[in-house]
Amino acid sequence: MTNWLPTLDDGAGPLYVRLADRIENDIDTGVLPTGAKLPPQRNLAFDIGVTVGTVGRAYALARERGLVSGEVGRGTYVLDREDVAPGKPPTLPPLLAGTRGLSPPPGKLRLDSTAALEVGQSQAIEDLTRQIVRQHPEAIVNYVHAPSESWQEAGSRWLTAGDWRPSSQSIVPTLGGHAAILAVIAAVTAPGDRVAFERLTYSSIARSTSLIGRRVVAMASDGGGVDPEDFERLCAQQHPKIAFLIPSLQNPTLAIMSEERRRAIVDVARKHNVWLIEDAIYGAMLESQPVTLAALAPERTFHVGSLSKTVAAGLRSGWVSCPPHYAARILTTSKMLTGGKPFLLAELAARLVLSGEADAIRDKVRNELQTREAMARKAFDGCEFTSHPRAPFLWMKLPEPWLSGTFKNAALNENVLIDDEDEYKPVRTGDVHHRVRIAFSVPKSRGELDAGFTTLRNLLEGGSAGYDSYG
């Protein structure tokens, strides 16, 4: 253990940030060499005259920066920081990089993406873009200072589910669903606050949450979605400020939460004063959507949707419906984080929705997805998996002796990209599911997709003996 005793006289900002900065500086200058063990939190807090919580938050921030590793019972150690060659970008720590490469390898079949199917929507997009450029030449080259009423009306219409329709005044247009969710988290929490996620979820949001200094905690779920009892336990013990949920066609499990369970989740959130983010990006594929959390708890629910899975991912167009009096705050936060919504994309998304083109495209996407899901059920007949005719992926249980990561690597060797279960874990956990997610919206042709399914089926049947990992 090193006799490291930092000073916090220099720098600005909260003490925990200054301490994390000192850790980084001393690692860079060699004061803290690779493998050095940092002092126990309680000891360091006493030595430098701060609270144990301040040291804990500083160590957590250092871990988020990829500087140290820490395990209960072992301590906190300085990680090896490889020298970066000139012109070579640094390797991102796993916390930020996820399990996918920064760019997909060339020549691989992408069964790891759920972007909207290509169903000829480019023509409608081209026609509307031409109209916008002709009609608004000045707006195209200027900044957007405030959303137009038509953009908000489009968001209100697109987010409508069943009998629930959000007020247009509650709508904030954003650069896609991810940007909307991150803006909400940034707006209603502070650095160090806890944000609750399911133990399997869209973990890119969890990584983004950690990147802005919030603390990620996980709640249990099952085939019916979030477990209300475990959510209650988490709220009582760790006091999260906000919870991120995917109630319909959950990613990656495809669970659809019952109304009874949704009401139970809302009751817990009210009891413990927890904000809710309702990700409805996949739920928009359903013709008949269950009651929304926003309808049950409008005073605390941010309801998010986008065009990425249903119309065109490249449009980067989404909306968030906010609780009363929060739209202005979310709009400002979104602009600060992203620079704001470009006029062309916002106007194009609004016209697609208000003209009915977005609904027509979504219907074509739904129909093609139904065909492809049927292909998947046929290709993997006899295997254990979860799928839905309106979802662009399935959740496959691997037979013995396959492990999730091993199967992903074996598929990669056969030029097929899929996601292992670790891609969907927001925190380190001992849970093992032996599952992979297989998506099927990106391949251009059914023949190409069928060939990919055949490759994966052959791997499943061949077992790990068919996968040579030497070399």
Side-chain angles (χ1 to χ4, degrees):
M1 184 186 303
T2 179
N3 293 320
W4 180 64
L5 189 64
T7 61
L8 304 181
D9 296 333
D10 299 328
L15 286 175
Y16 81 95
V17 175
R18 287 153 62 182
L19 179 55
D21 290 342
R22 176 54 57 189
I23 293 172
E24 183 167 10
N25 178 75
D26 286 357
I27 290 174
D28 287 339
T29 58
V31 174
L32 289 172
T34 297
K37 184 178 181 181
L38 297 187
Q41 295 180 22
R42 189 172 299 279
N43 293 6
L44 182 60
F46 178 83
D47 290 340
I48 64 177
V50 299
T51 67
V52 175
T54 295
V55 177
R57 292 171 73 179
Y59 280 20
L61 185 55
R63 283 197 300 273
E64 292 164 8
R65 294 177 179 178
L67 304 173
V68 300
S69 66
E71 293 185 26
V72 176
R74 292 191 64 247
T76 302
Y77 294 83
V78 176
L79 293 174
D80 184 16
R81 304 186 76 187
E82 298 179 353
D83 292 334
V84 180
K88 179 182 177 182
T91 301
L92 290 174
L95 170 68
L96 306 183
T99 68
R100 299 173 181 167
L102 294 180
S103 58
K108 307 296 184 183
L109 180 63
R110 297 212 63 180
L111 302 186
D112 65 343
S113 174
T114 56
L117 282 152
E118 199 287 310
V119 291
Q121 56 267 68
S122 58
Q123 187 60 58
I125 292 172
E126 179 183 352
D127 292 343
L128 287 173
T129 301
R130 288 178 182 274
Q131 291 178 19
I132 295 167
V133 172
R134 285 198 308 268
Q135 296 169 6
H136 300 279
E138 294 182 358
I140 294 296
V141 298
N142 211 333
Y143 291 113
V144 173
H145 297 289
S148 74
E149 291 183 2
S150 65
W151 300 353
Q152 293 178 297
E153 176 61 26
S156 173
R157 174 171 170 176
W158 190 253
L159 298 183
T160 295
D163 295 332
W164 177 77
R165 178 165 183 165
S167 164
S168 60
Q169 286 73 38
S170 75
I171 300 296
V172 176
T174 63
L175 275 167
H178 185 112
I181 295 162
L182 191 59
V184 170
I185 292 172
V188 303
T189 66
D193 283 344
R194 290 177 172 86
V195 181
F197 291 83
E198 295 174 74
R199 289 180 185 169
L200 290 171
T201 190
Y202 174 49
S203 61
S204 288
I205 289 293
R207 293 194 287 271
S208 299
T209 297
S210 296
L211 186 63
I212 61 172
R214 277 60 171 172
R215 303 167 68 181
V216 174
V217 294
M219 50 191 166
S221 58
D222 54 29
V226 175
D227 180 350
E229 291 186 2
D230 196 66
F231 183 38
E232 172 91 54
R233 175 200 61 79
L234 188 75
C235 289
Q237 294 180 357
Q238 302 206 43
H239 313 293
K241 193 72 172 291
I242 192 168
F244 172 75
L245 306 170
I246 310 175
S248 296
L249 295 181
Q250 201 270 354
N251 182 23
T253 68
L254 291 170
I256 298 178
M257 201 182 297
S258 68
E259 180 174 341
E260 178 183 9
R261 187 167 292 200
R262 293 174 193 237
R263 291 185 181 278
I265 292 295
V266 164
D267 288 344
V268 173
R270 283 192 174 124
K271 177 180 177 181
H272 294 276
N273 196 26
V274 177
W275 294 102
L276 299 174
I277 299 177
E278 180 174 29
D279 181 343
I281 293 172
Y282 288 104
M285 297 299 296
L286 299 171
E287 289 93 340
S288 178
Q289 297 188 48
V291 62
T292 63
L293 299 177
L296 298 174
E299 82 286 355
R300 67 184 58 255
T301 303
F302 296 88
H303 183 93
V304 177
S306 84
L307 301 183
S308 295
K309 313 302 181 185
T310 47
V311 178
L315 295 180
R316 306 312 303 137
S317 293
W319 299 269
V320 53
S321 170
C322 306
H325 313 300
Y326 270 83
R329 184 173 179 177
I330 301 305
L331 175 63
T332 300
T333 306
S334 179
K335 290 175 68 175
M336 293 174 70
L337 289 173
T338 67
K341 181 79 172 176
F343 176 87
L344 181 59
L345 294 183
E347 182 69 15
L348 177 56
R351 293 195 183 196
L352 282 167
V353 172
L354 297 177
S355 68
E357 287 286 356
D359 287 325
I361 294 168
R362 175 167 55 182
D363 286 342
K364 292 179 182 178
V365 170
R366 282 170 171 164
N367 291 337
E368 179 62 20
L369 277 182
Q370 184 169 347
T371 298
R372 294 189 176 202
E373 191 264 348
M375 290 172 58
R377 281 191 282 107
K378 180 179 179 181
F380 299 115
D381 182 44
C383 300
E384 183 179 346
F385 62 89
T386 304
S387 68
H388 191 283
R390 292 293 181 253
F393 61 88
L394 60 86
W395 186 230
M396 172 75 71
K397 179 69 177 292
L398 298 172
E400 292 281 0
W402 282 113
L403 302 174
S404 179
T406 308
F407 187 78
K408 174 184 175 177
N409 288 334
L412 177 62
N413 278 5
E414 298 295 328
N415 298 319
V416 179
L417 299 177
I418 60 173
D419 283 322
D420 62 4
E421 64 187 51
D422 286 347
E423 174 61 26
Y424 303 97
K425 292 179 178 179
V427 298
R428 185 172 179 176
T429 174
D431 295 345
V432 179
H433 306 274
H434 302 305
R435 287 182 178 265
V436 293
R437 196 192 77 165
I438 302 171
F440 39 80
S441 63
V442 169
K444 294 182 178 179
S445 70
R446 295 176 185 175
E448 187 180 25
L449 179 62
D450 191 56
F453 285 162
T454 299
T455 296
L456 296 178
R457 180 63 191 251
N458 289 339
L459 281 175
L460 288 169
E461 292 181 344
S464 56
Y467 168 50
D468 182 2
S469 61
Y470 288 104

